[in-house]
Each structure stands twice: as C-alpha cells, then as structure tokens.
Amino acid sequence: MQQDFGHSGTFIHYIEEINQIKRANPANNVVSCWDQLKIGNCQMTLTSHVSMSTPKADGYMTQLSKHFAHKIKVERTGNAVVFHFSAGTVQALAEGDLLTLSAQAKTAEHLHEVENIVGSHLERFAFRENLRVTWPGETGVE
C-alpha cells in the first residue's frame, strides 16, 4: 500500500525518482532528501497539477505570460512557460486544446497562494467560455 503525501504525490514515487537521479549520475555524489532527513536538512517541494481542455490553450498561456511579465520573472520556451513568484513557481504547458498547470512551493500555504494567483487570473481571462480551474483538494463547480 502506498501512502499519500498530499500535493507531493506518493512517497514511493519520490524514492523512485531519487533512485533514477542517482543511477543517472553515479559519480556526482547525489544526496537525496531522504538521506538529508537524518541530519534535518530536507527541503521538500510540494507540487500540484491541473489540466483543462480549451480551444484557446496557447492564447491563454500567452495572455498570462504578458500579464505577469510586468510583475515577475517569466520564462517562455515554445509551448511552455514558467512563472517565478516569490511564493513558488507555476509551469504552464499548452498542447493543442489542453492547458496544464503545475504549481510548486515549499509550504502548503505558498502552494495555495500560487495556485490561486494563476488560477484566478486564468478564470478572468477565460470568462467567455466559463473556464474553471480546480486544483487538487479544491471543490469546484464545472
């Protein structure tokens, strides 16, 4: 049985990811967060993801990019954008009619903050199609 660790996924998935990094970089002395737990230096990052279908996925991502670029660091590469907020980051990926958002932060409070910032802006930009952004752990009306 896998134990759920909230927004960060399962612990088993985390260990598998660390082992892949170690196998790919055996000479780099990669020390995992698991190893660091013994000395209290672990800084885990919480993540959450949401995907929505919209015919304007790329357009909304561009609109978000232009809006936030006046306030924060925004990096765009092809069909992907990273928004760098002080509380955390949000990555957006537009693939056809699918827009996927991935939020990352060090605390649950900061994760909720960046989810709300990007989600509320996207909902305002997409008001004509009544797009709703419902992050994991939220209840929303679709």
Side-chain angles (χ1 to χ4, degrees), residues 62-88:
T62 299
Q63 194 172 0
L64 286 168
S65 299
K66 288 179 180 180
H67 174 78
F68 286 121
H70 297 287
K71 302 171 185 181
I72 62 168
K73 180 179 176 184
V74 175
E75 296 176 283
R76 181 158 188 171
T77 306
N79 63 338
V81 175
V82 180
F83 304 99
H84 298 271
F85 298 96
S86 60

Side-chain angles (χ1 to χ4, degrees), residues 4 22-23 55:
D4 186 8
K22 285 183 174 184
R23 281 192 297 275

Side-chain angles (χ1 to χ4, degrees), residues 13 25 59-60 66 68 76 81 83-84 86 95 97 110 126-127 131 135:
H13 175 73
N25 302 297
Y60 291 139
K66 288 179 180 180
F68 286 121
R76 181 158 188 171
V81 175
F83 304 99
H84 298 271
S86 60
E95 296 178 300
D97 288 350
H110 286 150
F127 73 94
L131 186 70
W135 294 92

Side-chain angles (χ1 to χ4, degrees), residues 18 34 44 64 67 88 90 101 116 120 132:
I18 292 300
W34 175 255
M44 294 191 71
L64 286 168
H67 174 78
V90 175
L101 303 174
N116 284 336
S120 65
R132 294 289 170 242

